[in-house]
Amino acid sequence: MIITIVAGTRPNFIKITPIIKAIEKKQKEGASISYRLVHTGQHYDKNLSDTFFEELNIPHPNANLEVKSGSQSVQTAAIMVAFEQELLINPCDLVLVVGDVNSTMACAIVAKKLNIKVTHVEAGIRSGDMTMPEEINRIITDSITDYFFTTTTWAGENLLKYGADPSTVHFVGNVMIDTLYQNIGRITAPSFWNEFQLETGNYIILTLHRPANVDQEKSLFRLLEGIDKMVGNKKIVFPIHPRTKAILGETNLNLKNILFVEPQGYLNFMYLIKNSFAVITDSGGISEETTVLGIPCFTMRNNTERPETETIGTNTLVGTSIENLEIVFGEFLKNGPKKASIPELWDGKASERIINILLNT
């Protein structure tokens, strides 16, 4: 079996790492399986891409399509054109895509049009928000997928509602958590740890990149000023996403607690999360990692495609207004963190289950 594995963005890289390791383990056991790793180039900042291959000890890609940025349509089209050539030159039995980014949808479409079977890891998650490009990517990808691998039983139920064949839907757990468990002993403090006098529990992690939170300059300034004021004497470490950095420009904000830092590599970022007091974010994936690490997480969105992080884990949806965040965060400071646990099968073995199922299909 020859598998082409597609990665395009930071979360993709984290998800494919344990899958590659599971394949290599099976190869050593004598299984007839190999892979070719294709990087679409959707994320091209070194801190958001190349670093992850080095830190997580996986091979550099066999091919980099180097599509870089552009509008949703331009980027998707560029990926499709380049990936079609990749598959024509390097045929395979199966294309494996992860997550919900443009690379995921584009490469799934190309594979199916070439009559190559598609496997979708992290299938079936839904936010119900069709204004999110990721939601459209999920729906289209799942509509043409041959083998579905889900993080929760809820995601599997979504697929069945859409008409998926039950025999093709497999609840395996969360590959993001596989990577976390495999590297938890390797996480390290970033270079600025001592410079900023960071200590376990004396700082908050902040990440913002979604259009609803960062695209309007004035509302972004107001949001940052509000967060800066509401945390008391806690420091706020803000690894600033290139998108957010471009919007802020050279603006000199009067912020006393927020520390702006460059995007962090995986090992440094997980160290920061594990030792933080809390996390404020608009990311979906981070709420999975905070759930396993037991760190209170406040997600600045009106919906989530990962409801298990809220119903079972440490995550709380707070909307996009600073006023609501202040209320919810204030209640947290007063009452302490909510009771939480880890979802079923988030045990570090999802990738092994995926490869075993593919080999036996």
Side-chain angles (χ1 to χ4, degrees):
M1 178 189 293
I2 303 172
I3 303 176
T4 292
I5 300 175
V6 175
T9 66
R10 174 190 183 276
N12 286 175
F13 304 152
I14 298 169
K15 292 166 189 172
I16 65 167
T17 297
I19 295 172
I20 288 174
K21 292 181 178 178
I23 291 173
E24 291 174 343
K25 179 181 178 183
K26 283 297 180 183
Q27 287 176 327
K28 291 177 181 178
E29 295 172 0
S32 179
I33 185 172
S34 62
Y35 69 90
R36 180 175 172 84
L37 180 57
V38 175
H39 177 11
T40 67
Q42 186 173 334
H43 270 178
Y44 53 93
D45 183 289
K46 183 174 175 62
N47 286 330
L48 292 176
S49 56
D50 291 355
T51 301
F52 288 88
F53 292 100
E54 297 161 7
E55 286 192 330
L56 299 176
N57 293 323
I58 56 174
H60 279 263
N62 299 99
N64 188 329
L65 306 184
E66 298 183 343
V67 297
K68 299 189 177 181
S69 61
S71 69
Q72 296 283 330
S73 298
V74 167
Q75 189 177 71
T76 300
I79 294 169
M80 292 180 70
V81 170
F83 190 60
E84 181 181 52
Q85 290 303 306
E86 161 65 27
L87 290 182
L88 290 173
I89 297 170
N90 300 284
C92 62
D93 302 304
L94 184 73
V95 168
L96 186 150
V97 296
V98 296
D100 51 23
V101 297
N102 289 340
S103 299
T104 301
M105 177 189 69
C107 293
I109 293 172
V110 170
K112 288 300 290 185
K113 290 201 172 189
L114 292 176
N115 295 316
I116 300 171
K117 291 188 180 298
V118 172
T119 288
H120 186 198
V121 175
E122 201 179 76
I125 65 173
R126 297 288 186 272
S127 68
D129 183 357
M130 291 298 289
T131 66
M132 294 177 62
E134 295 91 341
E135 185 75 353
I136 298 168
N137 292 344
R138 294 173 196 130
I139 293 171
I140 293 174
T141 302
D142 284 339
S143 71
I144 57 176
T145 287
D146 295 285
Y147 308 111
F148 305 89
F149 294 104
T150 67
T151 57
T152 62
T153 56
W154 169 80
E157 291 167 1
N158 286 335
L159 292 168
L160 297 180
K161 290 176 184 176
Y162 274 81
D165 180 345
S167 68
T168 64
V169 178
H170 306 279
F171 170 38
V172 294
N174 194 330
V175 292
M176 286 272 280
I177 304 310
D178 290 10
T179 299
L180 178 60
Y181 281 137
Q182 289 173 8
N183 290 279
I184 196 68
R186 300 176 60 238
I187 61 175
T188 55
S191 58
F192 53 76
W193 180 267
N194 292 329
E195 176 188 350
F196 291 152
Q197 298 181 324
L198 299 180
E199 298 175 358
T200 299
N202 81 335
Y203 64 92
I204 293 163
I205 293 292
L206 173 66
T207 76
L208 297 171
H209 74 281
R210 293 192 179 273
N213 290 322
V214 306
D215 271 10
Q216 297 298 319
E217 190 178 79
K218 289 183 179 179
S219 60
L220 175 59
F221 294 169
R222 185 166 177 269
L223 181 59
L224 292 177
E225 289 169 349
I227 292 173
D228 188 67
K229 292 176 182 176
M230 78 177 192
V231 298
N233 61 355
K234 291 282 190 299
K235 299 180 177 70
I236 303 170
V237 179
F238 186 13
I240 188 164
H241 191 280
R243 175 190 184 91
T244 312
K245 185 176 183 178
I247 293 167
L248 284 178
E250 301 299 321
T251 306
N252 185 21
L253 298 175
N254 184 25
L255 305 172
K256 66 175 184 177
N257 294 310
I258 296 181
L259 306 170
F260 292 89
V261 299
E262 291 298 311
Q264 297 298 294
Y266 180 78
L267 299 178
N268 287 159
F269 191 56
M270 285 304 105
Y271 187 95
L272 287 170
I273 289 181
K274 185 177 185 295
N275 290 281
S276 67
F277 176 71
V279 171
I280 299 171
T281 185
D282 57 10
S283 164
I286 289 176
S287 65
E288 296 176 317
E289 292 154 336
T290 54
T291 283
V292 170
L293 293 172
I295 300 298
C297 181
F298 301 89
T299 298
M300 298 206 65
R301 291 170 53 184
N302 294 315
N303 50 62
T304 178
E305 61 280 356
R306 296 168 172 86
E308 67 278 5
T309 64
E310 186 172 34
T311 57
I312 300 172
T314 62
N315 187 31
T316 302
L317 281 180
V318 297
T320 58
S321 75
I322 183 60
E323 291 81 7
N324 203 45
L325 176 62
E326 288 170 342
I327 293 170
V328 175
F329 197 81
E331 291 173 351
F332 158 63
L333 292 177
K334 179 181 177 181
N335 302 320
K338 65 181 183 180
K339 294 181 180 179
S341 60
I342 299 174
E344 183 183 2
L345 293 190
W346 289 24
D347 57 4
K349 299 177 181 179
S351 298
E352 293 181 18
R353 297 184 187 104
I354 290 169
I355 300 306
N356 284 333
I357 291 169
L358 290 178
L359 284 171
N360 291 321
T361 298

